[in-house]
Amino acid sequence: MMSGTRAIVADDSHFMRSVITDMLEDGGIDVVAQARNGLEAVEAVVEHEPDVVTMDVEMPEMDGIEAVEEIMDKCPTPVLMLSAHTDENADVTFQALDKGAVDFFSKPGGEVSMEMSRLEDQIVDMVTSVARVDPTEEAAASQSSDREQTASRTYLENPTLLIGSSTGGPKMVERVLSELPLDAGFRILIVQHMPGGFTERFASRIDSGSPYDVREATDGDRIGDGEALVAAGGKHMVVSNYRSGRLRVKLTEDPPVNSVRPAVDMTMSSAAEVIDDPLIGVILTGMGEDGAAGIKSIKAVDGTTFAQDEATSAVFGMPKRAIETGYVDEVLPIEDIADGIARAARTDIPDDE
């Protein structure tokens, strides 16, 4: 059954264009045009007005970053970057997200035909989800607000913040971390569905824009107040120990949970089991149901829980599933998430506020 989704596939490799097109069409997506470079991609978008574009990063004449910028200027359309698994491509891919791309999908290297076939369901689901994003609303939601940090506030002792996200999540996570008050003293664990090789760059980007000290998690890492860890791509991040306000994590290659690794549920559930100080759990935009069980675990130990609302979520799957559990305390637009987290950790709020 056709999904009604119309796509353009842009890649400088004829082989990759053919493979991606075949996979999308097998999944019910109508590929209305192909492009060999960014210039052709922009022209095809203007001509065909598709629902979504899959965009290679490195292409001749005009690369993927320039093409995304042109598309957002001339004919705003959801773009999914298809990035090769290299350090250089990781940097460039995040630049494309800055220009307006919704998210990215990591292309396997080497003999791609068999690997891409194995990933067919994932890419079809992701393209279908990205196609539903309004790129103009996505751009507005991604703009950081200029908030003044209010002094003389008191907070709970040793709060731990756990954030889970997937499709459309990188920019949302960056925004939330940039707006959190440092004097709240959170210990922060972030699980963003992202392949290995990208999470280190992602952590560095968050670190550069946040008052918190953010880094990619390594096995045995310990953090205290004012520090944050990003789960490493391809590995679950589990809280293994908590003592005197400092928590330790271990990284595992246990089987995927909810078809993903790292899984939000693994991190949140382990935190609820180990940490006896205040917990705050947040589910941001993403595809699937990961995080719903984790939110239930946090509420079971009297934690506070939030979910991003549908209007500002690129994909409402993960927040929706969390909300459906009945264990989400507040559903908020992305611009209010950081304030909600800070409010939940405060001890100086009057009962009637």
Side-chain angles (χ1 to χ4, degrees), residues 38-329:
L39 284 172
E40 290 187 4
V42 174
E43 292 171 357
V45 168
V46 172
E47 177 181 353
H48 296 279
E49 297 185 352
D51 300 305
V52 62
V53 181
T54 68
M55 184 77 70
D56 190 19
V57 173
E58 295 184 353
M59 294 181 291
E61 296 190 61
M62 178 185 286
D63 64 24
I65 299 176
E66 296 172 296
V68 169
E69 192 169 18
E70 286 281 314
I71 288 169
M72 295 307 157
D73 180 57
K74 295 181 177 179
C75 187
T77 305
V79 177
L80 176 67
M81 303 304 296
L82 297 185
S83 176
H85 199 147
T86 67
D87 288 345
E88 181 180 351
N89 268 266
D91 289 332
V92 175
T93 299
F94 283 116
Q95 292 176 42
L97 297 184
D98 289 338
K99 298 299 183 183
V102 176
D103 212 326
F104 70 92
F105 188 88
S106 181
K107 293 192 294 188
E111 293 295 325
V112 298
S113 57
M114 289 184 63
E115 284 198 75
M116 286 295 279
S117 177
R118 178 176 57 82
L119 298 173
E120 180 172 331
D121 290 344
Q122 293 180 34
I123 192 171
V124 169
D125 286 346
M126 200 162 188
V127 168
T128 303
S129 295
V130 168
R132 293 194 285 262
V133 174
D134 182 337
T136 57
E137 290 183 0
E138 174 81 359
S142 299
Q143 295 174 359
S144 296
S145 61
D146 295 323
R147 302 190 180 191
E148 294 184 4
Q149 298 292 346
T150 304
S152 302
R153 288 182 170 177
T154 57
Y155 294 92
L156 297 168
E157 187 175 357
N158 299 330
T160 297
L161 171 63
L162 302 111
I163 299 175
S165 59
S166 184
T167 311
K171 288 181 284 186
M172 302 296 101
V173 173
E174 288 181 39
R175 174 168 187 170
V176 171
L177 266 288
S178 73
E179 296 175 357
L180 288 176
L182 182 60
D183 56 346
F186 292 111
R187 297 124 190 81
I188 304 175
L189 299 178
I190 300 163
V191 181
Q192 165 71 46
H193 296 164
M194 189 177 284
F198 289 84
T199 44
E200 182 180 2
R201 294 298 195 281
F202 180 48
S204 295
R205 283 173 58 89
I206 303 173
D207 181 67
S208 67
S210 171
Y212 283 75
D213 179 9
V214 186
R215 63 184 183 272
E216 182 188 47
T218 58
D219 191 45
D221 249 339
R222 295 184 68 192
I223 59 169
D225 63 274
E227 296 181 294
L229 295 177
V230 173
K235 296 180 180 180
H236 293 305
M237 179 170 65
V238 176
V239 179
S240 59
N241 180 268
Y242 181 75
R243 187 176 300 135
S244 302
R246 291 181 63 81
L247 63 84
R248 185 188 297 273
V249 300
K250 65 178 180 180
L251 306 185
T252 80
E253 294 185 2
D254 290 344
V257 174
N258 303 314
S259 301
V260 292
R261 188 177 62 204
V264 180
D265 281 345
M266 290 284 285
T267 301
M268 287 188 170
S269 297
S270 65
E273 290 177 6
V274 175
I275 298 174
D276 52 9
D277 280 324
L279 294 179
I280 299 173
V282 181
I283 300 297
L284 301 178
T285 174
M287 180 172 61
E289 62 182 353
D290 190 27
I295 286 293
K296 291 176 67 175
S297 297
I298 290 173
K299 283 308 298 180
V301 293
D302 297 323
T304 306
T305 55
F306 297 91
Q308 186 176 352
D309 71 354
E310 183 172 10
T312 62
S313 293
V315 180
F316 194 50
M318 284 171 56
K320 181 181 179 181
R321 291 302 182 91
I323 293 164
E324 287 173 347
T325 67
Y327 292 98
V328 169
D329 293 316

